[in-house]
């Protein structure tokens, strides 16, 4: 079998990077010539986890068809979040925990999605089902992803299975879950060094809804004012991204990881739809969304409803 | 939790009917208020299996949103093969072994697809993963589906996992796999009582390919001439179905289950594409496809390639 590339979504977060590493490791143990790669550079939170568990960041790729015709996707399925030439290769497997959309194959494949908080929670099951032991470093990276996706179990996307998986992985990784988790999350909230463009794109995804092309970015912080103090500069960057990429609406979700609330900053003509979706009034293009920390579970579904 | 309807594809075959029964049983054991239903009446092969294992055929439904907002799909995912109002309800789970296309959800879900020969092979795994025992009757129905989808292990879609699963289920069901299997398959080949319309639609599915809407029906037989002797009448029925439903091309795959070959009967303007896909010349709208028994693995992929 030729080489199989394994990767997560564009603008990779900790789950996208580490699920590629853990799933590629599992595939290698099962005899597949798999390599974990990434569709972008790692963010500061992921860099902290990789350094802590002494692992190199995956090689960054722009296209796949130039080096293989077989890929496996982790932590995403939608074509617009994947590698640009995804339609030119065969998708052998997907492991994911998101909605399914804009995904099509010519052939049957292995697809494993579960409505849990983190791809690595599913991958832990796959290790067990296949009777493969998880090395300490890989367990630490898988744990990091669960902490990241669940904001240390505070996100409504977090399930009992995620918490159980995290505790089990913390044992293998030999770390104190709470201490390590908070240190890792804080490492990801250093926004001061980022330009406005870096900030809005660091964890941004595109979602077609109705006839609109909607971009939703998210940043985690321990102080929302850190971001809002740069609102003029940030809005200008959002408008430029919209013009350059034909987005109809750009929503930046600024999430306070300690208070577990978010402020949205909205640019685009249909911002009244945003007001409708969240039942709020935008003031100077912003609104507080109480208790909202999950793009997937608390931001995308109400927007999908009002746009469709 | 309100009622959850579980069903397979339109024009249900044995796997579509029995995987709804087996998966609904599993869900009920897990505490879900699940009911197996069907999107059409059972064929003669399935009727044989249901009678043999003393099970009622599932209730037939036309729509789902009038009675629930939650469904689980088995043995299919593509919207055009599903219930007509599928977009109005939440899909909680899918268990399938086909390509993924025309499938979209607003929310994360449970999706379990594997490239094996039969949905019930996957469902057997799910019983084991959840530690639920399989009753004798359910095991017999699951076995029937594997025999049906694999034509007693002769189809190229059949994997080692399917064979292993069938042997295990035959033990639980207490039947001789070969004797029961051949009797069941033969029960499904009685085409003489069928009108031409019933014959072409008994196991037909629609596949959008490129800008074409392609209908592919399949019938199993122990004597291909049984069908070809009615070619004029059958072609007239195919043309009427095309006109009524805006199909661009109708391909009837007549499969000899003993010889493991098929004859295709083709109606539609782009039948030269069919010749290209299978590297054959059509003679009086028909051609022999040596060794072809699987629509999914040997008919749909080459057609998809030439139309896209």
């Amino acid at each position: 079998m030729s080489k199989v590339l394994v990767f997560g979504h564009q603008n990779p977060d900790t789950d996208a990077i580490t699920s590629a590493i853990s799933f590629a490791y599992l595939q290698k143990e099962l005899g597949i010539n798999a390599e974990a790669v990434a569709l972008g550079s790692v963010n500061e939170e992921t860099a902290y986890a990789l350094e802590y568990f002494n692992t190199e960041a995956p090689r960054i790729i722009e296209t796949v068809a130039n080096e293989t015709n077989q890929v496996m996707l982790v932590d995403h399925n939608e074509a617009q979040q994947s590698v640009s030439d995804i339609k030119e290769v065969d998708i052998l497997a997907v492991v994911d925990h998101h909605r399914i959309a804009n995904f099509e194959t010519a052939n049957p494949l292995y697809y494993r999605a579960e409505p849990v908080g983190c791809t690595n929670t599913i991958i832990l099951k796959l290790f067990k089902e296949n009777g493969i032991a998880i090395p300490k470093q890989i367990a630490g990276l898988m744990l990091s992803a669960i902490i990241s996706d669940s904001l240390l179990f505070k996100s409504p996307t977090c399930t009992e299975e995620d918490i159980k998986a995290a505790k089990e992985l913390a044992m293998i990784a030999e770390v104190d879950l709470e201490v390590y988790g908070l240190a890792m999350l804080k490492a990801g909230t250093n926004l001061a060094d980022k330009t406005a463009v870096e900030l809005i794109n660091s964890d941004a995804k595109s979602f077609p809804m109705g006839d609109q092309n909607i971009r939703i970015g998210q940043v985690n912080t321990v102080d929302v004012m850190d971001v809002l103090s740069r609102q003029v500069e940030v809005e200008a960057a959002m408008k430029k991204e919209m013009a350059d990429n034909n987005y109809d609406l750009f929503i930046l979700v600024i999430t306070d990881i300690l208070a577990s609330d978010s402020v949205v900053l909205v640019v685009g003509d249909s911002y009244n739809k945003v007001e409708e979706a969240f039942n709020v009034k935008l003031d100077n293009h912003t609104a507080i969304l109480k208790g909202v920390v999950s793009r997937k579970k608390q931001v995308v579904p109400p927007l999908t409803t009002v746009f469709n």
Side-chain angles (χ1 to χ4, degrees), chain A:
Chain A
M1 181 183 256
S2 64
K3 181 172 63 176
V4 177
L5 294 181
V6 182
F7 48 89
H9 52 78
Q10 295 172 16
N11 295 326
D13 58 9
T14 299
D15 194 28
I17 294 290
T18 63
S19 61
I21 293 172
S22 60
F23 193 58
Y25 177 86
L26 173 62
Q27 292 299 321
K28 276 182 279 189
E29 290 291 302
L30 295 172
I32 305 291
N33 181 16
E35 181 191 359
V37 291
L39 302 187
S41 54
V42 301
N43 64 31
E44 293 183 47
E45 178 194 277
T46 312
Y48 179 92
L50 289 169
E51 191 181 341
Y52 194 99
F53 292 106
N54 202 20
T55 304
E56 296 269 325
R59 175 168 69 90
I60 296 173
I61 58 162
E62 298 280 337
T63 56
V64 286
N66 54 308
E67 47 176 319
T68 187
N69 58 353
Q70 298 181 313
V71 302
M72 297 182 175
L73 310 186
V74 288
D75 197 32
H76 76 296
N77 66 84
E78 302 191 40
Q80 78 282 1
Q81 297 169 1
S82 196
V83 73
S84 57
D85 60 346
I86 188 68
K87 290 192 195 301
E88 293 176 37
V89 293
D90 283 337
I91 302 170
L92 300 186
V94 177
V95 184
D96 192 19
H97 65 128
H98 296 90
R99 72 165 190 168
I100 300 177
N102 297 307
F103 181 80
E104 183 164 326
T105 64
N107 292 300
L109 73 164
Y110 183 92
Y111 200 112
R112 181 77 170 252
E114 300 190 20
V116 293
C118 181
T119 305
N120 272 296
T121 299
I122 307 167
I123 294 175
L124 172 60
K125 283 192 189 182
L126 301 183
F127 270 98
K128 289 179 180 178
E129 288 169 17
N130 287 286
I132 306 288
I134 306 178
K136 181 177 166 180
Q137 289 178 1
I138 301 268
L141 295 174
M142 294 170 73
L143 168 66
S144 302
I146 299 176
I147 292 166
S148 170
D149 272 6
S150 72
L151 292 179
L152 253 175
F153 314 144
K154 282 184 190 156
S155 169
T157 59
C158 184
T159 68
E160 285 303 316
E161 281 197 68
D162 297 299
I163 297 170
K164 197 161 153 281
K167 287 179 178 166
E168 190 172 333
L169 290 164
M171 295 278 285
I172 304 173
E174 295 175 22
V175 293
D176 181 301
L177 203 162
E178 295 284 336
V179 173
Y180 169 75
L182 203 57
M184 188 202 76
L185 287 178
K186 279 193 175 158
T189 64
N190 178 18
L191 304 174
D193 297 347
K194 287 197 163 69
T195 66
V197 176
E198 287 169 349
L199 190 144
I200 61 171
N201 285 325
S202 61
D203 177 15
K205 294 181 180 177
S206 299
F207 299 88
M209 294 184 190
D211 58 353
Q212 301 276 295
N213 185 10
I214 296 176
R215 185 77 167 173
I216 308 177
Q218 184 168 28
V219 290
N220 290 338
T221 180
V222 289
D223 184 359
V224 170
M225 282 314 296
D226 260 8
V227 182
L228 288 182
S229 66
R230 298 168 64 184
Q231 183 172 352
V232 173
E233 177 200 3
V234 169
E235 280 192 19
M238 290 164 77
K239 281 177 188 156
K240 182 162 189 320
E241 285 291 304
M242 288 173 68
D244 290 352
N245 299 285
N246 293 314
Y247 304 136
D248 299 295
L249 184 69
F250 199 134
I251 302 172
L252 183 65
V253 181
I254 308 157
T255 299
D256 185 326
I257 62 168
L258 300 180
S260 299
D261 293 323
S262 294
V263 168
V264 281
L265 175 58
V266 180
V267 178
D269 288 340
S270 53
Y271 73 85
N272 60 318
K273 293 276 197 183
V274 179
E275 295 186 329
E276 186 187 338
F278 301 106
N279 195 25
V280 292
K281 271 282 162 205
L282 289 167
D283 178 13
N284 187 25
H285 309 156
T286 67
I288 297 174
L289 305 185
K290 294 297 289 180
V292 168
V293 297
S294 166
R295 172 170 51 195
K296 182 169 71 172
K297 204 140 182 167
Q298 298 172 297
V299 178
V300 171
L303 283 169
T304 304
T305 303
V306 299
F307 277 103
N308 283 343

